[in-house]
Amino acid sequence: MLRFDPHNVRPFLDDSAVDALWPRVEAAHNALLNKTGTGNDYLGWIDMVNDPNDALLEDVSALAAEIRANADVFLSIGIGGSYLGAKAVVQALTPYFGGSGPEILFAGHHMSGAYMRELLAYLEGKSVYVNVISKSGTTLEPALAFRFIRQWLEANFDDADQRIIVTTDPEKGALNELRKEHPYRKYIIPDDVGGRFSVLTPVGLLPIAVAGIDIHSLFYGAVAQAKALKVASRDNDALTYAALRYLLLEGQYDAEVFATFEPSLSGMGGWWQQLMGESEGKELKGLFPASVQYSTDLHSLGQYMQEGQRILIETFLMAEDDGGDLEVPSSAANLDGLDYLNGKTYTHINRKAYEGTAKAHTEGGVPNMTLWLDRINANAIGEAIYFFEHAVGVTGYLMGVNPFNQPGVEAYKKEMFSLLGKPA
Amino acid sequence: MLRFDPHNVRPFLDDSAVDALWPRVEAAHNALLNKTGTGNDYLGWIDMVNDPNDALLEDVSALAAEIRANADVFLSIGIGGSYLGAKAVVQALTPYFGGSGPEILFAGHHMSGAYMRELLAYLEGKSVYVNVISKSGTTLEPALAFRFIRQWLEANFDDADQRIIVTTDPEKGALNELRKEHPYRKYIIPDDVGGRFSVLTPVGLLPIAVAGIDIHSLFYGAVAQAKALKVASRDNDALTYAALRYLLLEGQYDAEVFATFEPSLSGMGGWWQQLMGESEGKELKGLFPASVQYSTDLHSLGQYMQEGQRILIETFLMAEDDGGDLEVPSSAANLDGLDYLNGKTYTHINRKAYEGTAKAHTEGGVPNMTLWLDRINANAIGEAIYFFEHAVGVTGYLMGVNPFNQPGVEAYKKEMFSLLGKPA
């Protein structure tokens, strides 16, 4: 189970402030669970874990097994919520230097022509399966990539249509138009689940399953967490997290840094940035969400964290067991001066780096909190996903914004489409 | 040559503010070049490009050629400035899906035991060369990694000592101690060049050259830029950049986002973050430096950029020619609705995405500037490196801080070493 540790906020925020806020926190929590708040037509991500669809999990697992048996490369085409969740979970739960099964690649998450040209060359001669993920099918980045990839598949495989899986709207959109002529297999993006909350729908589940990750464990981690977070009391850690973030935002703090000490968890930072930034960053409000990977970034952003403008709060994502139980070997002459660490594990040393950092940042004026996973596995990642989703819904309601829309994302698209001469 | 475009700052800052500041800007610039400001014992990065050492460039190139001929993997061990510069340049200038020559890997840039265990397994059976980069030799992350890697090399190669190159202090430190027993080849980190300014010393040059990049072009890009930026007039773009950043920081803005539209340039964002954050983030001052990769992050942080707290400024790094001249192919039935782009290149479309974004962000209240490279090659990257280095020196002096120290980085180390029981 998750463990949430907010004790390094205490020097910055009196407990009475949390007490005073708590009735509003409970009201926000109830509005979320009872679907009485703004954006309540986008709460399918809660229903989903309250009423798990095991048949869907099995269906996705079966297709993933077929793909794992036949593909050298599995190419996931999507952007934003159709990319970041799968990327985060796959990165967290697969080896650093390649695992078994198909290589998982991404496309349509930007518009680099060099990348597309080199990708097409790289795919040459490989058995490729493609999952294109887009509700409308017209989001430019994935649509454009899919046109290139589709034509490449058709030129290279007699069974191209069998190698394409679309994850899209139940009925509408360009991908459903294409299915009128091509019998692509299809998964549905539920109408009531926004992109940044979609990692536990087929949007995220198929790429994650193809990577060999147990999606049943992942999903049921979220299910368990949703059960644990039903209570409205002070025992609800997601509510505490939501309340503290809100109170700090109302104070002097403008930005929140998501920090890990295990590089495999840095993708979770990218997913978390979208979740937080898109849910809260509106009406000129919100904590600007940044993401760092320690101890790497202690030697880059560490100086600013310690002594720059005091506008920062910090959320650590840690694992009690980080899988790093590798012992420091002794050395003949201690010429490197490290013999005091002989027999200690990387896990131990990394943990002390975290403890030292949390202490130094607290003393330097950075309120910080830690979410602890038991270990880095599918179940724990599923728990963390739901924890942050629930928390951001509550913070959004406390802030008085609709945490489930993203009107500002249209602004650049509108300008870009105008410059590109897109027909009305 | 670089082109700097600050016109999207104009709606937020009157030209008269720049005029009024300019005498101080010129004074800061002169203090930098004449070495009369604080931290003036760390200005070797300017001397270096004013008086290029061609013999060193040739020596590094020759060793790199030897390594390229013999290594499957080149492992660079370093953290902070001993990692980010090489990583940025290698990422910018090598193909997305692997190029020719040895695979460039990094270690010692964090303390993940899982990473080290999997790295050692991955290296099995490969011809490995190692470059360990650390001035003191006792920075914990690289020192620890080097103990593991050194023992692995000694167990696997009769000529282990020939496969290790140290880049370190002229005389002092743990790596020089090790050299008393092992005849490792060695490069020197100049005493007057700090880590974040060291990419054009052997710290960055050796890994970059092993990646097959022309370090002569890279270095001479910086040389040319240093010449161009000698003048103290309003024609000096680095001074304009420094002045605008300072004035915006003095205004309502607290954070600066570094944005690219080409994923290969995103490593430059990591390098830039250290350069800016460590140079300015002290005495409770400085713009918090964040880094994004568009259009990916327009579908994640884009909402916040457009409508969140108005505390953000933005610096784009773009290339006139981004290498993406791949034309959109026509499609039979236009079922994806993209036929209006037929025959257009990715470069064109990506450029319109940038233009749309810059316009939308300006209208949304985010002052933004763009540094244009001619193309993404070694020369242009060298130019950009010097541009940002010069600019941050000037901004630091305008802010009244020493841009060349990093006292805050010690705080976490002190706590960590105490927790680890390191002998005094």
Side-chain angles (χ1 to χ4, degrees), chain B residues 130-145:
Chain B
V130 173
N131 182 202
V132 56
I133 308 165
S134 175
K135 193 156 174 58
S136 66
T138 53
T139 298
L140 185 56
E141 292 87 343
L144 200 52

Side-chain angles (χ1 to χ4, degrees), chain B residues 170-187:
Chain B
E171 293 172 29
K172 297 189 301 269
L175 294 174
N176 283 307
E177 286 303 308
L178 277 161
R179 282 186 80 237
K180 289 179 183 166
E181 301 206 350
H182 301 276
Y184 304 146
R185 283 176 281 188
K186 169 175 162 180
Y187 285 105

